[in-house]
Amino acid sequence: MLLTQKKSGGSKMSWDPVYRLVKQIPRGRVLSYGALAKALRLRGGARSAGRAMAATPSGKGIPWHRVVGERGKILIREPYASLQKKLLESEGVKVVESRVDLKTHLWSPSGKPPKTKKLSSSRRNPTKAK
């Protein structure tokens, strides 16, 4: 699903697909702006996801606080950064120095465990026994 920033005529576009996906993030889990953009194939990538989240309507039950930066960093400014940290911690997410541990709390929209970088076989076992 490709979304553009403006429809012809200058009217605002709908970020509804973004909000529908964000509503699926379970309590105690987070998703990065980049992963959100990739899952929805947003034109403009993580920045577009950030614009969508900045425009989140209040009172609609959208858990905006569950979207963080690529390395788990809380990227929004105060006073919302403190609120985001407080909301995440209330769900059991540990936040240290404005950063979430993605190994523990990252959610994948596909339902599969998120990919993690693996060490090459030569680095895992530098002294092979023969």
Side-chain angles (χ1 to χ4, degrees):
M1 158 176 299
L2 291 173
L3 299 175
T4 57
Q5 288 189 17
K6 287 188 178 180
K7 292 181 179 178
S8 59
S11 64
K12 289 183 181 178
M13 65 159 295
S14 171
W15 290 116
D16 288 343
V18 175
Y19 303 142
R20 277 194 298 273
L21 182 57
V22 171
K23 281 184 173 185
Q24 294 177 33
I25 304 169
R27 286 180 58 84
R29 308 289 273 189
V30 297
L31 185 64
S32 72
Y33 292 102
L36 178 60
K38 186 176 180 181
L40 296 173
R41 289 189 250 149
L42 294 179
R43 184 178 291 166
R47 287 178 186 247
S48 290
R51 281 191 287 279
M53 296 313 298
T56 302
S58 60
K60 301 282 185 184
I62 300 165
W64 59 270
H65 61 283
R66 296 180 187 153
V67 183
V68 296
E70 197 65 32
R71 293 182 194 96
K73 188 153 176 67
I74 291 176
L75 298 176
I76 60 176
R77 296 189 176 139
E78 292 296 346
Y80 299 104
S82 293
L83 177 58
Q84 184 176 19
K85 179 181 178 189
K86 184 177 178 180
L87 290 169
L88 287 170
E89 289 176 337
S90 75
E91 296 181 1
V93 176
K94 187 174 181 183
V95 181
V96 178
E97 294 181 14
S98 297
R99 205 173 286 273
V100 172
D101 178 7
L102 294 180
K103 289 179 185 174
T104 306
H105 300 288
L106 186 63
W107 177 73
S108 174
S110 67
K112 298 175 185 172
K115 292 180 182 177
T116 55
K117 292 184 179 180
K118 294 182 180 178
L119 296 174
S120 67
S121 59
S122 62
R123 290 189 65 192
R124 271 187 272 149
N125 191 359
T127 55
K128 275 189 171 179
K130 291 187 180 182

